[in-house]
Every structure is written in structure tokens, then in C-alpha cells.
Amino acid sequence: MIRLGVSLYPEQETSEEIERYLSLAQKYGFSMVFTSLFSVEGTEESIIRCFRGLCDAAHRHGMEVIGDCNARFFIQMGASPENLSVFRQIGIDILRLDLMFNDERDVKIVNNNQGLGVQLNASLVDSVKRILDLGGDPARITGSYNFYPLRNTGADSGSVCRANRFFHQNGMKTQIFISSG
């Protein structure tokens, strides 16, 4: 099944602009929103408030929210592989980890009890395989290819086909970002 999504960065738009954009996206069948959780500076409370507003707007329009995260953001927000509750406070549905810890912490994140879906970098097949070998639930994993808002920075088609084969054989979904510009 093909699903369409948009990328939004709440520090770059007003809440009114975000609401209008999501309304238009919903009208054309978009059902996912990607955002970078480490794109906003501030206190833990101000970051939660900022992204909570974006997530609430996306949910009003029937969209799932994917929040890209890195290790620095984990530490800044007081999260740990055992405690991902801050991401639920923010309101995201899917936590995207571009780079993984490469140990049992990844398995704890994948098998979390917060009900968060997890996206892992689809280009890092060996790391994903290790997570599966350590007991990660493949039904909770989606492979997601890196996205850089620059021309010619995406994965090449051969690599995508090989990685997609691995994900498909292990019962996992994949997604890829394609620029509209």
C-alpha cells in the first residue's frame, strides 16, 4: 500500500500556516507527517509544547506523525530506551532513529511499551538484522531511507532494491522520501 506524507518543521511556520497546509494535504490524500524533533531549540517544556501543537494539528487531520530523533535529543529530553514517555507527551506516533545504538538498547526501543512505532534507517541493513537477532519485533519496525533536502542525496536504486528485499523477507515495511520539487 502506498501512503503519502509531508514534512513539516514547526519552527519555520506559524500554527495557522501549518493548519492550512495539513488541511490541503488531507484533501489530497496525505496521511503522514514527518518532523525533525531536534530542529527546535529550547527547554524541555517549550519543545514539548511546540511539537504537541504540530501533532495535535496532524491528528485533527487524520495523520500519523513521525518524529526524527538523535542521541542528543534523547539525553536533552530525559528519554531512555526504557522510558520513551516524553515522545507520547509530544504526541508522535512513530519514532525515527537514523542512527541506532547498535546494542540491546535498540531492541528495547523497538519493543517499547509506549505503543510507539519505530522507523530505522533502511540503508543500515546489518544494524536492523542485529536488532532482529536480539529479539526486536519486526512488526514494530519500518525501514525508512534517509532524507536530505538536497538534490541527488537519496539512496541509489540498487541499494534500495537490496534493502527492500531484506525488509520484505522479514515482514517489515519500508518508506522512502521523494522530493516534490
Side-chain angles (χ1 to χ4, degrees), residues 112-131:
N112 73 81
N113 62 4
Q114 296 291 312
L116 290 169
V118 178
Q119 285 188 354
L120 302 175
N121 187 333
S123 300
L124 302 176
V125 169
D126 289 340
S127 295
V128 177
K129 184 179 182 326
R130 186 159 194 272
I131 291 168

Side-chain angles (χ1 to χ4, degrees), residues 98-110:
D98 184 34
L99 298 174
M100 295 149 262
F101 291 104
N102 288 316
D103 58 29
E104 66 283 342
R105 291 175 289 183
D106 296 326
V107 177
K108 289 178 183 177
I109 293 169
V110 167

